[in-house]
Amino acid sequence: MTTTDEYKAALDTLNQYIWEHKLRHTAEREIILSVICGLEQPFTPAQVVEKANAENISQATVYNCINLFDKIGIISLLQKRATKSKAQWEVVSGKHNRLQLICKKCGRVADFKDIAITNAVKLRKYSNFVPEHFTIFVYGECKHCRKI
């Protein structure tokens, strides 16, 4: 999925939520959503603040938007890792399947593809549950940390 498609899916989700909850539509939310979708995934709130400052958007507004986007399912906090790295988020709106390798030492995250794993999850029957998408995390040490 391209960043543009990702942004459109996320914007549709945001607009639907705003309409259903009778919230005020703001340009700042759209700008922050655009910034998030344009960042390399995963991202930190500090990266969003840095980019949003160029648009004269306050840090508080960025954090409020991150909380809102998380609440409505546009972004998701990556699983807490056994590292001292900062919290990282990723866009999940419009995405379907994701497999990730996460280094427990440095916090690097890398996507990978495995058709067997993807098919195992997709083709499995779940009682009383209809899956929409999934993310699988594989924890270990990256090649950079193993060299140290």
Side-chain angles (χ1 to χ4, degrees):
M1 177 172 286
T2 66
T3 303
T4 304
D5 293 339
E6 195 173 77
Y7 173 72
K8 287 178 185 175
L11 186 59
D12 288 345
T13 301
L14 176 61
N15 287 334
Q16 182 69 29
Y17 184 86
I18 288 171
W19 182 78
E20 287 174 358
H21 293 85
K22 298 177 177 44
L23 298 176
R24 187 171 54 91
H25 180 84
T26 66
E28 288 86 355
R29 285 187 188 124
E30 281 191 34
I31 292 168
I32 293 168
L33 185 60
S34 176
V35 165
I36 286 172
C37 290
L39 289 172
E40 184 177 318
Q41 302 292 317
F43 63 89
T44 64
Q47 291 172 307
V48 181
V49 168
E50 182 181 322
K51 294 282 187 183
N53 280 342
E55 301 287 336
N56 294 321
I57 298 174
S58 73
Q59 182 174 345
T61 301
V62 170
Y63 279 90
N64 287 336
C65 285
I66 287 173
N67 288 333
L68 175 65
F69 298 163
D70 179 50
K71 177 181 178 180
I72 63 180
I74 292 173
I75 62 173
S76 177
L77 180 63
L78 289 176
Q79 295 293 322
K80 188 66 177 159
R81 297 185 284 280
T83 67
K84 295 178 183 174
S85 64
K86 297 176 184 168
Q88 292 183 323
W89 299 77
E90 67 178 342
V91 176
V92 294
S93 184
K95 290 194 176 172
H96 296 285
N97 307 321
R98 191 167 215 177
L99 305 171
Q100 295 185 320
L101 302 172
I102 301 175
C103 181
K104 290 173 56 176
K105 283 190 174 181
C106 69
R108 279 190 176 96
V109 178
D111 288 339
F112 72 99
K113 294 182 190 288
D114 187 312
I115 293 172
I117 293 172
T118 301
N119 286 339
V121 175
K122 276 182 170 180
L123 300 174
R124 187 182 188 296
K125 301 290 182 206
Y126 302 90
S127 61
N128 301 318
F129 186 78
V130 178
E132 293 178 5
H133 60 86
F134 63 85
T135 301
I136 295 176
F137 301 103
V138 179
Y139 294 91
E141 281 185 30
C142 70
K143 67 180 178 182
H144 304 287
C145 291
R146 282 195 317 266
K147 288 180 182 177
I148 297 174

